[in-house]
Amino acid sequence: MAVFLVSSVAAPPDARLAVAGTRVAADPPSDRAGATGTLYICESRLLFADAAGCGFSLRYQSIAIHAVSRDASDAPHLYCQLDCRFPGTPASAESDDDDEQFSELRFYPGDADELDAMFDALCACAALNPDAGDESEDSAGGGGGSDNAGDVIRQIDDLDPSALITSEDQLDRLTPRGRDVLAHLESVLEASAESGGHERFADADEEADSDTDGADP
Amino acid sequence: MLFYSFFKTQVGQQVTVELKNDLAIQGVLESVDQFLNIKLRDIHVVDAERYPHMLSIKNCFIRGSVVRYVQLLPSTVDTALLQDAARREAQSTQQMSQTKAAAVQA
């Protein structure tokens, strides 16, 4: 459910716009709407709270369309069509609405001049909240058969970056057999290092001059 | 990104956006973003009788994820060019994901 009913609200810190004196109406009618309060258009969610702090919080992912409505037949308002059912609405008698699961909200600000600012703020915040599914589709190129690619790309994001840098073996992804092989190789390397000492890797000049093992010239 | 670029070329054209809930809205494409969120102006609802509540709306913002189709005027679209671009984008995306898959499985 992308609409949360709240019973105590403090002014949110990420509010782009706060419009006091806003009346909200829902269609199908809801017992949770119809109050007058403050609409907070926040970067993370849409929040409406009346004087008592009761209201609702709405995720942008549920807002299918929003628009400014100016018409003689109704007071100027911000129209939002949701793709989910607004809580508190009675089960609709029309089967169409039940199947489609969509409802409408209208916000009537005290001052109609605020409408354009409200619309712009909603556009900006909706753009800040894309669907999670959309992002993975984009990076995988979308279309059928891209699910595997999407999964792969998510795995890449989860990987420790250092695992991808140079090692062909993907050290932290080794199978038990792989780990055995690595341990064996490492032991071979250690053994060869011990037997040769630093002399094996010393510069040619130093080797020719030195009489003792590993001593500084 | 291909269709984002493509829709940017359609800005100013008349389009009809059909949503997943069957609502169809005709209007002039005002803007589009990378998530294919669409802003339309001078809209009118195609089946107005079914959706009387949107009569008084002139401009709207439609979330990209609720769009089912965007109907365009054929004269404004070079389909051969679009097909070609889509094919190239699909190929490059496939190559990219294959490379990444190989890196993970190595």
Side-chain angles (χ1 to χ4, degrees), chain B residues 52-80:
Chain B
H53 14 246
M54 290 188 68
L55 277 176
S56 56
I57 291 173
K58 293 286 169 290
N59 307 345
C60 68
F61 173 101
I62 302 173
R63 190 175 182 82
S65 59
V66 308
V67 173
R68 181 188 289 147
Y69 300 126
V70 178
Q71 295 163 16
L72 311 160
L73 291 174
S75 56
T76 64
V77 182
D78 183 340
T79 45

Side-chain angles (χ1 to χ4, degrees), chain A residues 18-185:
Chain A
V19 187
T22 301
R23 182 170 61 88
V24 62
D27 185 5
S30 161
D31 55 6
R32 268 291 184 160
T36 300
T38 305
L39 175 68
Y40 298 98
I41 302 176
C42 309
E43 295 187 350
S44 53
R45 65 221 163 112
L46 196 65
L47 184 61
F48 177 84
D50 64 15
C54 294
F56 56 87
S57 162
L58 182 58
R59 300 195 68 86
Y60 291 102
Q61 288 81 355
S62 335
I63 303 181
I65 303 175
H66 67 267
V68 168
S69 173
R70 288 179 220 270
D71 192 43
S73 65
D74 196 2
H77 61 274
L78 186 70
Y79 168 87
C80 295
Q81 187 175 99
L82 312 181
D83 66 1
C84 63
R85 176 170 290 288
F86 194 75
T89 63
S92 173
E94 297 175 42
S95 55
D96 274 349
D97 278 347
D98 278 342
D99 289 344
E100 288 170 5
Q101 286 278 303
F102 88 99
S103 53
E104 296 166 332
L105 278 181
R106 290 180 170 76
F107 296 101
Y108 299 82
D111 180 3
D113 294 337
E114 297 252 28
L115 275 176
D116 289 330
M118 287 161 74
F119 178 79
D120 289 338
L122 257 176
C123 289
C125 295
L128 287 173
N129 289 270
D131 287 15
D134 280 353
E135 287 183 54
S136 64
E137 269 175 36
D138 251 346
S139 53
S146 67
D147 285 348
N148 289 336
D151 286 341
V152 163
I153 289 169
R154 272 194 282 279
Q155 283 171 28
I156 296 232
D157 289 340
D158 290 338
L159 281 178
D160 177 1
S162 61
L164 294 172
I165 294 172
T166 51
S167 168
E168 213 176 30
D169 292 316
Q170 295 284 311
L171 291 180
D172 54 337
R173 292 211 152 225
L174 285 177
T175 60
R177 163 131 179 84
R179 278 193 276 273
D180 287 345
V181 170
L182 180 62
H184 170 68
L185 288 173

Side-chain angles (χ1 to χ4, degrees), chain B:
Chain B
M1 275 330 221
L2 170 65
F3 282 94
Y4 168 49
S5 319
F6 169 70
F7 281 123
K8 282 205 291 186
T9 70
Q10 289 283 317
V11 167
Q13 300 290 347
Q14 182 88 210
V15 301
T16 300
V17 179
E18 184 179 321
L19 307 192
K20 291 177 182 171
N21 62 14
D22 295 341
L23 176 64
I25 302 173
Q26 196 174 79
V28 174
L29 184 64
E30 189 173 307
S31 75
V32 65
D33 68 11
Q34 54 173 316
F35 306 110
L36 304 187
N37 293 327
I38 290 171
K39 268 199 202 169
L40 294 179
R41 65 163 196 271
D42 301 330
I43 67 163
H44 86 268
V45 177
V46 169
D47 191 355
E49 289 164 4
R50 211 172 144 198
Y51 303 97
H53 14 246
M54 290 188 68
L55 277 176
S56 56
I57 291 173
K58 293 286 169 290
N59 307 345
C60 68
F61 173 101
I62 302 173
R63 190 175 182 82
S65 59
V66 308
V67 173
R68 181 188 289 147
Y69 300 126
V70 178
Q71 295 163 16
L72 311 160
L73 291 174
S75 56
T76 64
V77 182
D78 183 340
T79 45
L81 198 65
L82 191 56
Q83 261 185 341
D84 199 46
R87 199 174 301 124
R88 274 186 276 120
E89 165 123 342
Q91 274 176 350
S92 76
T93 310
Q94 202 180 38
Q95 277 168 5
M96 248 177 31
S97 60
Q98 276 172 357
T99 309
K100 289 184 179 180
V104 168
Q105 284 162 17

Side-chain angles (χ1 to χ4, degrees), chain A residues 3-7 32 55-57 86-88:
Chain A
V3 184
F4 302 98
L5 302 177
V6 296
S7 56
R32 268 291 184 160
F56 56 87
S57 162
F86 194 75

